[in-house]
Amino acid sequence: MDQAEQLRNIIKMNHIRQRTKARVITITSGKGGVGKSNVAINLGIQLRKMGLNVIILDADFGLANIEVMFGTIPKYNLKDTIEGKKSLKEIITEGPMGVQFISGGNGVEGLANLSKVQLGNLLRGMEQLDELADVILIDTGAGISDSVLEFVASGNEVLLVTTPEPTSLTDSYSLLKALNNHSGFSKENIEIKIIANKVSNMVEGRNLYTKLNLVTERFLQMPLGFLGSIPMDEQIIKAIMRQIPISISYPNARASKAFEKMSAQLNGTMISENRKSLAEVFLSYFNRKADK
């Protein structure tokens, strides 16, 4: 029995729920260095300030951006769950203001080669996270690797972080083009919103979105949404150096107010009743990996 068939059997055995409490949002970027993880952390903190329970899943496997920026070293990571040493609930680390996160670790490259037992345990753990959180933010790696595309294609809501740099804009389009050609991607079932980071003013952010949206609509027939802009702010650098997110260390900074506004917009957005749970997102991820 191949792994794809094993996955189908696991679906039948574990009765993965079609509805879930948690809202799953994937945050990605076309290239590194655009502030994607910083966006994930500060959106998480602002949503927590609104009273929501937030868990960030660091899916940039092999790196440790979330824990470094939080200034918190986790005892365990996803590899410990995959190897059966800890349950998924046991590897959750408490971050600032009660925002929780899960470290991807550096040994998760074998996600496509898990045993039936490992897959079942992991998916059941994902369902537990659905019960613990109101919002789950998946912080993917940067670029257009297979792993990133699988995660983006597997969800329903995607935030694409870009900057005014020409290379960032080009790489964002490249990611969208690769996603459009991905076998698991469905334009009807996924909503992609742009976040313009490191802009000089709000007008530049809106123009950045308009430029990217015009190109994707014309050549990919893929309209994009716009969540908002984050201004260049020296206090972001100070916050990163202090390992205390700007939404906590400088709550009145321009960037903090921008994160607050975007989080309020996210929180006020109606979400589909047919949205995928975290378990279903991972199930789609594993299924396509196994079929390759």
Side-chain angles (χ1 to χ4, degrees):
M1 182 186 298
D2 63 16
Q3 194 185 30
E5 184 63 28
Q6 285 184 9
L7 282 165
R8 296 181 187 102
N9 289 338
I10 289 171
I11 298 173
K12 297 175 183 177
M13 290 170 55
N14 292 300
H15 305 290
I16 301 299
R17 294 191 309 248
Q18 294 303 305
R19 294 189 181 186
T20 178
K21 175 184 177 184
R23 179 179 181 179
V24 181
I25 302 174
T26 303
I27 302 175
T28 193
S29 63
K31 67 186 290 291
V34 300
K36 170 182 57 62
S37 295
N38 189 55
V39 167
I41 283 173
N42 282 284
L43 287 180
I45 290 170
Q46 295 292 350
L47 288 168
R48 181 70 186 121
K49 286 183 178 181
M50 296 173 189
L52 300 177
N53 292 321
V54 180
I55 296 177
I56 301 175
L57 174 61
D58 190 349
D60 195 352
F61 303 132
L63 298 178
N65 290 336
I66 300 298
E67 59 200 70
V68 170
M69 297 181 77
F70 268 158
T72 304
I73 301 175
K75 292 182 179 179
Y76 311 106
N77 58 48
L78 202 56
K79 183 179 179 182
D80 294 298
T81 297
I82 290 172
E83 294 179 348
K85 298 176 181 178
K86 295 290 177 181
S87 70
L88 206 60
K89 289 175 68 174
E90 290 176 312
I91 67 171
I92 296 175
T93 301
E94 187 87 3
M97 285 195 62
V99 175
Q100 299 175 309
F101 72 96
I102 293 176
S103 172
N106 58 6
V108 201
E109 293 82 1
L111 281 176
N113 300 307
L114 304 184
S115 69
K116 182 178 179 180
V117 172
Q118 289 173 324
L119 283 168
N121 289 338
L122 189 58
L123 292 175
R124 281 192 293 272
M126 294 297 174
E127 286 197 319
Q128 291 178 338
L129 294 190
D130 284 328
E131 297 170 359
L132 293 173
D134 297 306
V135 179
I136 298 172
L137 303 176
I138 301 179
D139 182 29
T140 75
I144 56 175
S145 67
D146 286 343
S147 178
V148 171
L149 290 175
E150 294 292 354
F151 267 116
V152 174
S154 296
N156 293 124
E157 288 187 84
V158 175
L159 303 180
L160 175 58
V161 182
T162 190
T163 73
E165 294 180 8
T167 52
S168 178
L169 199 61
T170 300
D171 289 338
S172 292
Y173 177 75
S174 295
L175 185 147
L176 292 168
K177 183 178 179 181
L179 183 64
N180 192 52
N181 294 328
H182 192 280
S183 60
F185 175 68
S186 170
K187 294 178 183 177
E188 292 74 27
N189 297 323
I190 190 169
E191 182 180 13
I192 303 174
K193 293 181 179 179
I194 299 299
I195 293 179
N197 194 21
K198 302 181 181 180
V199 297
S200 57
N201 53 61
M202 299 300 108
V203 173
E204 183 181 37
R206 172 63 70 169
N207 290 341
L208 180 63
Y209 156 71
T210 300
K211 185 183 301 184
L212 185 58
N213 187 51
L214 284 173
V215 175
T216 55
E217 279 193 321
R218 178 179 179 182
F219 296 106
L220 305 179
Q221 293 73 55
M222 185 193 298
L224 306 172
F226 182 56
L227 186 60
S229 302
I230 306 164
M232 286 287 292
D233 194 329
E234 291 183 359
Q235 290 176 314
I236 288 182
I237 306 301
K238 294 178 182 178
I240 291 174
M241 295 300 292
R242 293 176 60 189
Q243 294 181 292
I244 304 175
I246 190 170
S247 292
I248 297 174
S249 55
Y250 303 103
N252 295 317
R254 290 191 305 150
S256 296
K257 293 300 181 181
F259 285 122
E260 182 180 6
K261 183 178 180 180
M262 287 189 292
S263 298
Q265 185 176 329
L266 275 178
N267 193 30
T269 302
M270 294 294 293
I271 51 180
S272 170
E273 285 292 323
N274 297 318
R275 69 188 188 278
K276 290 182 180 178
S277 69
L278 183 64
E280 289 171 317
V281 169
F282 266 76
L283 201 53
S284 298
Y285 175 92
F286 289 131
N287 217 347
R288 284 195 292 273
K289 282 284 190 181
D291 282 332
K292 287 186 176 180

